[in-house]
Amino acid sequence: MSKTRREQIVEFLLRRDATARDVAAQFGLRVTEAIDDLEHIRKSHADAFQIEWARCSKCEFVFEKREKLSSPSRCPDCRNERIEGPWLSIAKS
């Protein structure tokens, strides 16, 4: 029996940190579809799901209070649009 797409994404996140864009590219999805799957995985693997928050590449502002798994569009401090992350992973148990 083949694994579901979400099961495949879980295995992918067990092996490496990835952004929603990385997941979308790996599985041939639109970013919004990847984010929907990641939100579901976040709830079903709550204890092991890890987020390294997005940050501004110019001023290093960290988006710690952001709940969304998508990348912010711009920095609230310096207005820079070069945002890195967030990086997602699942801790091995």
Side-chain angles (χ1 to χ4, degrees), residues 43-69:
K43 291 175 186 168
S44 61
H45 291 81
D47 293 340
F49 196 85
Q50 298 178 334
I51 302 172
E52 183 181 333
W53 300 108
R55 67 178 168 266
C56 175
S57 62
K58 183 177 179 184
C59 72
E60 298 295 318
F61 176 85
V62 178
F63 293 81
E64 290 178 1
K65 295 182 180 179
R66 184 177 170 92
E67 290 297 318
K68 296 179 183 178
L69 298 179

Side-chain angles (χ1 to χ4, degrees), residues 13-14 16-18 48-52 87-91:
L13 293 176
L14 281 166
R16 61 177 286 209
D17 294 354
F49 196 85
Q50 298 178 334
I51 302 172
E52 183 181 333
W87 296 273
L88 314 169
S89 63
I90 297 177

Side-chain angles (χ1 to χ4, degrees), residues 23-84:
V23 171
Q26 177 70 25
F27 294 94
L29 305 171
R30 289 178 290 146
V31 175
T32 55
E33 291 174 313
I35 290 170
D36 287 344
D37 285 347
L38 290 165
E39 287 291 352
H40 184 273
I41 292 167
R42 179 186 198 178
K43 291 175 186 168
S44 61
H45 291 81
D47 293 340
F49 196 85
Q50 298 178 334
I51 302 172
E52 183 181 333
W53 300 108
R55 67 178 168 266
C56 175
S57 62
K58 183 177 179 184
C59 72
E60 298 295 318
F61 176 85
V62 178
F63 293 81
E64 290 178 1
K65 295 182 180 179
R66 184 177 170 92
E67 290 297 318
K68 296 179 183 178
L69 298 179
S70 60
S71 181
S73 60
R74 79 176 56 143
C75 177
D77 282 356
C78 71
R79 297 295 192 210
N80 183 30
E81 294 181 0
R82 304 234 28 200
I83 307 297
E84 300 171 346

